[in-house]
């Protein structure tokens, strides 16, 4: 049986492992954390949002970004310290502005496709992830923002997504708990929300029961394409594995596989370089708070419908009766995972203003690194060498797109490496 390694146990890695296992491959997942979904897939905004499929490559985004650079608590923050990777990535970002329309439409189609796969998996495998199917409500503060949203909605319609424009009165009817003055909004009933960590961890346990092996607390030190297989496939992965006992020593081992799928988030770029491929992922940090709704007043004052506030770029999701997730910001600061108080404060203040009845006494902060490609499109493709594949670079839509890209990459693996070993290899085994 073909042995496939999946590097990374976030949402893309686990959905990829599941899709490959369903096709009959012998799958091993490798991750540096002790459990699945402990990094970028731990506490994101929670939205499964085809209605947020607009790519960022536009001159309006660039102009907003320049303006925001002068505002301390703006949705976007950039460390001005020179970095070749950062500035070269941004140059590629600008070069992809002509692809804005096509990429937005394609991302919308992919998001709708992903939603069907995810719901099917959750139902089939009995995964509870606080899934709320109450839609997503986008709110706008002025006419210019609403007019821009109309243009984006036309692109979403090309991708097959239906959403409707709503008035301020309709906003309050859809979500009565929200406070503030709004010019208008758009409501997408088919979008939903859920807990990415619960889904990913639950699916990882399903994979384990189905025979997928997990090597946790293992750092990938080196990868190498060997071409040892009869069809030119074959990779070696060298790991440093954490000791089982507190006083033990880390072990080093090199494992061989027929193929590998790199789902390593912001670590994908370095691994791809070792295989001779260029996967230009840049880490864009996002922050969230999980507001614990410990009292009845807070539970009643927190929204159940998911929101996206266009002005602040803040999104929300209700994770069951007693949790309210609020997330936002984009920080270009390299591979930095620090949780900054000055980036968390705007999230807390936003809750106090729009939902004054919600207590923020217990708000758990978090930061994660979104793996962004310059064109804002995920890299779901084979590498230059046989048996090397990538499913990474999903940016702010990893949760939304994961179940579609997993199916796509599994199909590519199946086409390139049929389950049955090629005839020459079978003959060698018989001899």
């Amino acid at each position: 049986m073909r042995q496939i390694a999946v590097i990374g146990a976030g949402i893309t890695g686990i959905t990829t492992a599941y899709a490959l296992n369903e096709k009959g491959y012998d799958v091993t997942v490798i991750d540096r954390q002790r459990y699945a979904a402990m990094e970028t897939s731990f506490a994101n905004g929670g939205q499964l949002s085809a209605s947020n499929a607009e790519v960022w490559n536009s001159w309006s985004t660039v102009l907003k970004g320049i303006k925001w650079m002068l505002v301390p608590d703006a949705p976007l923050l950039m460390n001005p310290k020179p970095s070749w990777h950062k500035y070269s990535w941004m140059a590629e970002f600008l070069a992809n502005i002509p692809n804005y329309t096509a990429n937005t439409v394609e991302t919308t189609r992919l998001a709708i496709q992903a939603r069907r796969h995810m719901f099917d998996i959750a139902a089939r495998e009995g995964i509870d992830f606080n899934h709320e199917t109450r839609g997503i409500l986008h709110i706008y503060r002025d006419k210019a923002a609403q007019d821009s949203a109309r243009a984006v909605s036309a692109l979403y319609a090309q991708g097959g997504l239906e959403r409707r424009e709503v008035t301020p009165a309709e906003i309050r009817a859809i979500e009565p708990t929200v406070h503030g003055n709004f010019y208008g909004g758009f409501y997408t009933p088919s979008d939903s929300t859920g807990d990415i960590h619960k889904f990913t961890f639950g699916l990882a346990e399903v994979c384990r029961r189905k025979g997928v092996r997990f090597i946790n607390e293992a750092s990938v030190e080196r990868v190498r394409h060997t071409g040892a297989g009869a069809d030119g496939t074959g990779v070696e992965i060298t790991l440093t594995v954490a000791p089982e006992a507190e006083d033990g020593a880390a072990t080093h081992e090199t494992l061989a596989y027929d193929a590998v799928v790199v789902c390593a988030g912001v670590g994908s770029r370095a691994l791809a370089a070792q295989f001779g491929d260029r996967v230009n992922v840049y880490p864009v940090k996002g922050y969230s708070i999980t507001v614990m709704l410990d009292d009845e007043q807070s539970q009643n004052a927190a929204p159940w419908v998911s929101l996206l506030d266009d002005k602040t770029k803040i999104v929300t999701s209700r994770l069951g009766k007693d949790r309210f997730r609020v997330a936002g910001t984009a920080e270009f600061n390299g591979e930095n995972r620090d949780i900054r108080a000055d980036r968390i404060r705007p999230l807390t203040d936003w809750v106090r203003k729009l939902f004054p009845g919600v207590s923020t006494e217990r708000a758990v902060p978090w930061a994660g690194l979104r793996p962004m490609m310059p064109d804002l499109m995920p890299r779901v493709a084979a590498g230059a060498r046989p048996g090397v594949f990538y499913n990474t670079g999903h940016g702010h839509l990893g949760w939304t797109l994961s179940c579609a890209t997993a199916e796509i990459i599994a199909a590519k693996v199946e086409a390139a490496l049929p389950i049955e070993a090629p005839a020459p290899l079978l003959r060698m085994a018989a001899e």
Side-chain angles (χ1 to χ4, degrees):
M1 185 183 293
R2 297 279 198 173
Q3 296 185 333
I4 313 291
V6 174
I7 301 179
I11 184 63
T12 56
I14 297 302
T15 52
T16 296
Y18 180 83
L20 290 169
N21 177 265
E22 289 289 286
K23 289 184 177 296
Y25 290 97
D26 184 350
V27 182
T28 300
V29 177
I30 300 168
D31 194 80
R32 63 186 178 185
Q33 299 294 344
R34 188 175 184 181
Y35 309 104
M38 293 304 293
E39 294 196 19
T40 305
S41 298
F42 186 75
N44 74 349
Q47 291 188 331
L48 293 161
S49 51
S51 63
N52 198 19
E54 180 188 13
V55 299
W56 298 1
N57 308 81
S58 67
W59 286 115
S60 63
T61 299
V62 173
L63 294 173
K64 286 179 184 176
I66 293 171
K67 180 183 70 174
W68 284 335
M69 288 176 68
L70 304 175
V71 181
D73 60 351
L76 183 142
L77 177 69
M78 182 183 299
N79 185 337
K81 183 179 179 180
S83 159
W84 169 252
H85 182 204
K86 179 169 57 184
Y87 289 119
S88 64
W89 186 95
M90 288 181 175
E92 286 190 50
F93 175 93
L94 295 174
N96 274 284
I97 288 177
N99 301 321
Y100 162 82
T101 296
N103 286 349
T104 295
V105 172
E106 179 57 28
T107 303
T108 306
R109 290 182 180 137
L110 201 59
I112 294 171
Q113 177 185 341
R115 144 199 311 168
R116 291 193 293 267
H117 287 304
M118 178 169 288
F119 298 169
D120 287 347
I121 291 170
R124 184 166 62 246
E125 304 298 350
I127 301 172
D128 174 16
F129 61 106
N130 295 125
H131 190 209
E132 291 295 334
T133 56
R134 304 180 191 230
I136 294 180
L137 177 63
H138 289 222
I139 52 179
Y140 303 93
R141 311 296 183 103
D142 54 55
K143 182 178 184 301
Q146 186 81 1
D147 289 345
S148 177
R150 290 191 189 104
V152 175
S153 280
L155 299 182
Y156 290 164
Q158 290 182 43
L161 181 69
E162 294 182 9
R163 69 174 189 164
R164 73 173 192 264
E165 189 166 355
V166 292
T167 65
E170 289 173 313
I171 288 174
R172 288 177 174 80
I174 293 168
E175 183 44 69
T177 63
V178 67
H179 289 65
N181 296 315
F182 309 109
Y183 182 87
F186 274 88
Y187 179 56
T188 311
S190 59
D191 276 345
S192 58
T193 58
D195 187 327
I196 186 174
H197 178 76
K198 288 183 70 173
F199 179 87
T200 309
F201 186 86
L203 188 59
E205 292 303 297
V206 170
C207 287
R208 201 184 300 273
R209 291 196 299 271
K210 289 176 175 285
V212 174
R213 287 187 298 278
F214 284 79
I215 304 176
N216 292 102
E217 297 183 276
S219 299
V220 176
E221 302 298 339
R222 186 170 67 92
V223 293
R224 185 172 74 91
H225 182 266
T226 63
D231 49 3
T233 60
V235 297
E236 286 183 349
I237 302 175
T238 301
L239 305 173
T240 297
V241 183
E244 293 185 8
E246 186 176 342
D247 57 350
T251 59
H252 306 278
E253 52 185 301
T254 298
L255 305 174
Y257 299 92
D258 294 298
V260 63
V261 185
V262 177
C263 305
V266 298
S268 301
R269 178 172 175 260
L271 294 173
Q274 294 183 52
F275 284 125
D277 295 317
R278 185 171 183 271
V279 178
N280 193 18
V281 166
Y282 188 84
V284 180
K285 190 194 294 186
Y287 293 85
S288 78
I289 55 173
T290 302
V291 181
M292 300 303 178
L293 306 174
D294 294 328
D295 57 86
E296 186 176 353
Q297 176 181 315
S298 294
Q299 292 168 5
N300 293 335
W304 282 97
V305 173
S306 176
L307 303 176
L308 189 153
D309 184 341
D310 181 72
K311 182 179 180 180
T312 60
K313 303 302 180 186
I314 286 175
V315 304
T316 75
S317 57
R318 184 71 178 263
L319 304 177
K321 178 182 178 182
D322 57 1
R323 290 186 301 151
F324 178 40
R325 178 73 48 77
V326 180
T329 79
E331 183 176 310
F332 288 78
N333 194 21
E335 201 164 331
N336 178 296
R337 292 176 170 82
D338 294 345
I339 300 176
R340 296 176 45 171
D342 62 336
R343 304 300 285 166
I344 293 295
R345 190 177 304 111
L347 301 178
T348 307
D349 290 345
W350 184 89
V351 174
R352 292 169 56 200
K353 290 175 183 175
L354 272 69
F355 303 97
V358 172
S359 169
T360 56
E361 180 181 1
R362 242 179 15 112
V364 181
W366 174 84
L369 301 179
R370 309 179 186 98
M372 290 272 192
M373 295 290 290
D375 60 356
L376 275 289
M377 302 295 288
R379 178 73 177 272
V380 190
R385 298 180 177 182
V388 178
F389 301 88
Y390 300 95
N391 184 17
T392 189
H394 295 64
H396 66 297
L397 291 176
W399 177 218
T400 297
L401 302 180
S402 57
C403 286
T405 60
E407 291 294 325
I408 293 168
I409 202 63
K412 290 181 182 293
V413 171
E414 186 178 40
L417 285 83
I419 294 293
E420 297 299 328
L425 193 60
L426 289 174
R427 285 198 300 271
M428 288 172 60
E431 294 170 359

